[in-house]
Amino acid sequence: DDRSIWYIGLHQFRTLVVDARGLAPKVVEAVLALVQEDRRGTVIASELLAAQVRMVRELGLYDSAFVPQLQAASSEFYRSEAAAYHEADGALWVERAHSRLDDEANRCRRFFAPGTERMLLDIVGQELVAKHADALLASCFDRLLEESQHELLSKLFRLYKRVSKVDLVAGAITLHIRT
């Protein structure tokens, strides 16, 4: 059967080329580099990234080598992004965080295995929202309420719901009503 020939050939390629020559880390680094470029907004060859991820999956490197590196690179990328947001207005932070979550979800659906999306969106939420939840609310919540910026308030609520921090929003609403 042609399918079994494919898998035998794939196994031989992995054993003789990828494993024996230590290429797995280099393959993973190349794929991660394209992912990072895409995150930075650089126009990339989408077909190339999709093919590289498919190759990593077919070689059996996805869960063992690629995903742990993707997790680490994603955490670092979004941690750095959050540090840059500290200079931004809270409303702009909400917009950026919301946009980053959408971008990452789209990237996951286009390129990665189905189980990867939840993990990556959790990382984005933790790094951009959860770790800065108190500061973010303090920087913009009252102003958003006073200016009746319902769309931004809705986005802020959805962000906090995603990272299980709705109790902070409830507390801020209570405080706003009392003052």
Side-chain angles (χ1 to χ4, degrees):
D1 151 323
D2 289 339
R3 196 161 166 82
S4 61
I5 293 171
W6 164 259
Y7 287 111
I8 290 169
L10 189 64
H11 175 73
Q12 290 298 314
F13 180 80
R14 179 176 178 179
T15 303
L16 298 173
V17 177
V18 176
D19 292 343
R21 297 192 181 172
L23 294 179
K26 292 176 185 171
V27 169
V28 169
E29 285 175 28
V31 178
L32 286 175
L34 271 179
V35 171
Q36 295 295 70
E37 289 299 313
D38 190 47
R39 285 180 175 151
R40 288 186 192 101
T42 304
V43 177
I44 63 161
S46 297
E47 302 80 23
L48 176 62
L49 179 54
Q52 287 183 344
V53 171
R54 190 170 48 254
M55 176 186 65
V56 166
R57 288 178 73 185
E58 292 288 336
L59 289 171
L61 301 172
Y62 191 82
D63 292 325
S64 63
F66 180 69
V67 169
Q69 293 292 333
L70 180 63
Q71 276 182 295
S74 299
S75 292
E76 179 56 35
F77 180 85
Y78 289 111
R79 188 175 310 117
S80 174
E81 182 106 341
Y85 288 2
H86 278 291
E87 302 298 319
D89 170 68
L92 182 60
W93 188 326
V94 169
E95 288 285 4
R96 287 180 178 173
H98 197 268
S99 176
R100 281 303 193 174
L101 280 162
D102 286 346
D103 291 347
E104 198 66 36
N106 288 332
R107 187 174 300 105
C108 287
R109 285 189 285 276
R110 289 174 49 210
F111 303 118
F112 303 134
T116 311
E117 182 174 359
R118 182 175 180 87
M119 177 262 305
L120 287 178
L121 294 182
D122 285 349
I123 288 171
V124 177
Q126 286 300 309
E127 295 298 340
L128 295 184
V129 181
K131 290 182 178 180
H132 311 280
D134 291 322
L136 181 55
L137 270 181
S139 74
C140 71
F141 188 73
D142 287 332
R143 183 174 55 85
L144 293 177
L145 279 176
E146 290 165 6
E147 294 175 4
S148 298
Q149 294 200 25
H150 302 288
E151 185 179 332
L152 277 175
L153 285 165
S154 175
K155 286 180 179 181
L156 179 105
F157 181 79
R158 287 192 310 269
L159 288 171
Y160 278 63
K161 184 177 178 186
R162 169 175 278 292
V163 297
S164 302
K165 296 283 186 179
V166 174
D167 58 321
L168 293 177
V169 177
I173 290 171
T174 302
L175 184 63
H176 183 80
I177 291 170
R178 288 184 182 159
T179 57

